[in-house]
Amino acid sequence: MSRFSNCKGMRILIAGGAGMIGSAIAHLAVRNGAKVTILDAFLPMYGGNLFNLAEIRSSIDLVYGDIRDREVVRQAVLDQDLVFNMAAQVSYVDSNREPFFDLDVNCKGHLTVLEACRLHNRNATLIFPSSRFVYGEIESNPVSERHPYNCLSIYGVHKLNGEKYYQFYHRAHGMRTLIFRIANPFGPRQQMKHSKYGIVNWFIRMAMEGRPLTVFGDGLQKRDYVFVEDLAEAMLLAALKVDLPHGVFNLGSGVGTAFRDMVKAIAAEVPG
């Protein structure tokens, strides 16, 4: 029996579903018989792209809309079994430059989705993609979910605030919410237009263009790089596991890779 057999016939909403992680979840869910709705605002600086959905376009419902729009969200959450809220401002660099925009999307947007589900679909399971950025400066390794919060960016602060929203709605309203602190994702369909996020894919682009891959310092700092399809499988499996309680979970490969080793691997594998 497939690990995703109970996915068949489920109604799944993926906000931000035209981005890298959202589209990976969409492809996986469609392959396993789910009825998938994508809600995406296709903001130009981010990863939302119709190309990411081309192979499954005829099998999904696509809604052009923003998670900050209450009426659009209200309609979108009706009768959904799972709600993956992947929509976000995703650049920690931009969050420091435009903190109010980050607040608007990464806090108000998620609060809008939570309220819509509280009022119109309280039985849905909600999945929130948090980030390693909530930890900030690392004090101990490996990093557990109990590590102190040392946020070094507005992005990290607002991701942590988002977590608190989802935890509150679980405690106050009995809603099932799952929170995943994602490491460093990479893989197919990640945007490569700029270097503000997705360092692996950005280095792949530079290697393909024959540009130098520069490492500052000794490059020995370790990061957990996690393949997007592994992320999608983990998140969907967790959402389908009805006996998995509400909680906050780190989500990565579990393997630390030195930055310079990541760069060397790209240089060796990507023709430039």
Side-chain angles (χ1 to χ4, degrees):
M1 181 179 293
S2 167
R3 293 179 297 164
F4 301 97
S5 57
N6 54 340
C7 188
K8 187 173 183 179
M10 293 198 78
R11 298 176 61 87
I12 300 177
L13 171 67
I14 308 173
M20 176 182 67
I21 301 177
S23 63
I25 296 169
H27 280 257
L28 179 61
V30 166
R31 286 199 303 271
N32 285 279
K35 299 176 181 178
V36 174
T37 298
I38 301 294
L39 171 65
D40 205 295
F42 292 95
L43 300 180
M45 277 297 291
Y46 307 115
N49 193 323
L50 285 173
F51 173 83
N52 294 343
L53 303 171
E55 295 177 13
I56 57 173
R57 181 63 187 88
S58 62
S59 302
I60 62 172
D61 291 324
L62 179 60
V63 178
Y64 290 79
D66 195 301
I67 60 169
R68 295 168 290 177
D69 186 322
R70 293 184 185 182
E71 181 57 26
V72 168
V73 172
R74 184 188 73 80
Q75 292 286 343
V77 303
L78 293 176
D79 300 321
Q80 302 292 343
D81 299 305
L82 306 179
V83 177
F84 288 86
N85 199 357
M86 315 304 295
Q89 191 294 114
V90 292
S91 168
Y92 75 91
V93 175
D94 286 346
S95 76
N96 294 336
R97 294 173 178 167
E98 299 184 67
F100 289 104
F101 180 70
D102 195 89
L103 174 71
D104 203 37
V105 177
N106 289 348
C107 292
K108 178 183 176 182
H110 285 272
L111 193 55
T112 300
V113 173
L114 283 161
E115 268 295 278
C117 288
R118 180 184 72 84
L119 294 170
H120 306 291
N121 187 8
R122 195 173 295 196
N123 292 326
T125 293
L126 292 101
I127 300 91
F128 174 61
S130 187
S131 169
R132 66 180 178 86
F133 280 95
V134 302
Y135 297 122
E137 186 175 349
I138 300 302
E139 298 180 3
S140 59
N141 214 343
V143 178
S144 78
E145 288 84 354
R146 293 178 295 279
H147 188 283
Y149 307 125
N150 300 314
C151 302
L152 299 175
S153 66
I154 291 293
Y155 177 80
V157 171
H158 288 163
K159 279 293 188 182
L160 184 57
N161 197 65
E163 289 187 10
K164 299 302 181 184
Y165 286 150
Y166 282 81
Q167 290 170 329
F168 172 79
Y169 275 75
H170 167 71
R171 290 193 299 267
H173 305 297
M175 295 164 61
R176 183 178 182 237
T177 62
L178 300 173
I179 299 164
F180 295 100
R181 293 173 181 159
I182 297 172
N184 297 271
F186 71 96
R189 299 184 293 275
Q190 187 173 36
Q191 73 83 22
M192 302 168 74
K193 295 180 289 187
H194 53 74
S195 60
K196 292 179 181 178
Y197 62 93
I199 189 64
V200 174
N201 285 45
W202 178 247
F203 270 39
I204 289 173
R205 173 175 177 169
M206 289 196 295
M208 292 172 65
E209 294 176 349
R211 297 161 64 184
L213 308 181
T214 303
V215 176
F216 296 98
D218 58 20
L220 293 177
Q221 63 272 33
K222 289 189 175 182
R223 297 288 184 268
D224 186 321
Y225 301 102
V226 57
F227 189 54
V228 66
E229 292 184 5
D230 293 333
L231 275 180
E233 288 194 7
M235 294 176 78
L236 184 56
L237 281 171
L240 293 171
K241 192 174 176 59
V242 294
D243 58 343
L244 181 69
H246 156 85
V248 180
F249 308 96
N250 286 341
L251 188 49
S253 69
V255 177
T257 301
F259 188 85
R260 69 181 185 184
D261 291 338
M262 177 272 290
V263 175
K264 287 178 180 177
I266 291 173
E269 296 295 331
V270 179

